[in-house]
Each structure stands twice: as structure tokens, then as C-alpha cells.
Amino acid sequence: MATFFANKEEKEKLSHAFKELDIDNNGVLSYDEIKVAYEHAGQINSVQNLDEMIKNIDTDGNGEVDYTEFIAASLNRASILTQEKLETAFKLIDKDGNGNLSADELKELFGGDDMDN
């Protein structure tokens, strides 16, 4: 289901990444395989963080991350990052911080008083 939301290029990148991480080629990512990947990327702060991350990704609770879980987690992460960027951009435009974009704020964004013409 998660792959339905990815375009062809995203699917290929994610498939390639999964295969690279799956060192023993058994179709699932073990704790050790994920740990090695995060260590190589310099992204692991602690074993506890890794345990928590895997627990959140491993939706069936079998202790391993299968391809579907990997894809779902990757797409969720991309979606969250996109949402964060949108919220940051909105906050930059929303000068008075009221949660709404006024006509004046939009005018400032798109070129000031030139919009009246």
C-alpha cells in the first residue's frame, strides 16, 4: 500500500537502499544491519534511540524490518519533512503569527503594492 504513494523513481531509490542495507540478502533488515547502516552514516546517538526507532518501524513486532515496513517508514519520514518545511515557510509568511495569511502578508510576499494594479 505504501508503494502506491511513491513515484517510480522513489520506488527504485528505496528498493536500491533496502537491498544495500540487507547485507545477508534474506529480504528483511535485522537489528545489526540497521545498526551498521546508521553507524556508517554517523546517525546513531545511542542503542536506546536505535531500539526505539526499530520498534516504531517494525509494525508486526517480529524484531526485523521487512520491505513494506521500510518503504512505509521512508515515505512517512519524507512526508514529515515536507510538512515541516511547509509549516516553517508558512510561519515566515505569517508575520503576526495569528495562523492566517492576511492580504497584507500576501502582498508583501508577492511584491508589495504592485498587486493593487
Side-chain angles (χ1 to χ4, degrees), residues 63-81:
E64 298 175 316
V65 175
D66 64 33
Y67 183 72
T68 302
E69 292 167 333
F70 175 80
I71 297 296
S74 298
L75 293 177
N76 281 341
R77 182 168 165 27
S79 174
I80 289 167
L81 292 175

Side-chain angles (χ1 to χ4, degrees), residues 26 34 40 48 55-56 85 91 103:
N26 68 346
I34 295 169
H40 282 271
Q48 181 180 2
K55 182 180 174 185
N56 290 330
K85 288 178 185 177
K91 288 176 184 175

Side-chain angles (χ1 to χ4, degrees), residues 66-115:
D66 64 33
Y67 183 72
T68 302
E69 292 167 333
F70 175 80
I71 297 296
S74 298
L75 293 177
N76 281 341
R77 182 168 165 27
S79 174
I80 289 167
L81 292 175
T82 300
Q83 182 68 27
E84 287 174 358
K85 288 178 185 177
L86 289 172
E87 288 175 3
T88 299
F90 183 88
K91 288 176 184 175
L92 289 172
I93 299 165
D94 182 22
K95 301 288 185 192
D96 61 11
N98 70 352
N100 296 304
L101 298 181
S102 68
D104 289 338
E105 289 167 333
L106 291 173
K107 281 181 184 179
E108 184 178 333
L109 174 67
F110 290 113
D113 293 329
D114 294 339
M115 287 186 65

Side-chain angles (χ1 to χ4, degrees), residues 3-63:
T3 58
F4 176 76
F5 296 104
N7 65 36
K8 184 178 179 182
E9 184 179 332
E10 288 173 322
K11 287 180 194 177
E12 289 173 1
K13 285 181 181 178
L14 292 172
S15 176
H16 178 74
F18 184 85
K19 289 175 184 174
E20 289 288 318
L21 296 173
D22 185 16
I23 297 167
D24 62 6
N25 296 313
N26 68 346
V28 295
L29 302 179
S30 68
Y31 177 90
D32 289 335
E33 288 169 326
I34 295 169
K35 182 178 177 187
V36 166
Y38 271 83
E39 286 173 345
H40 282 271
Q43 296 294 317
I44 188 162
N45 295 329
S46 71
V47 171
Q48 181 180 2
N49 289 348
L50 182 62
D51 290 343
E52 189 173 320
M53 183 197 69
I54 292 172
K55 182 180 174 185
N56 290 330
I57 295 171
D58 180 22
T59 57
D60 63 9
N62 69 354

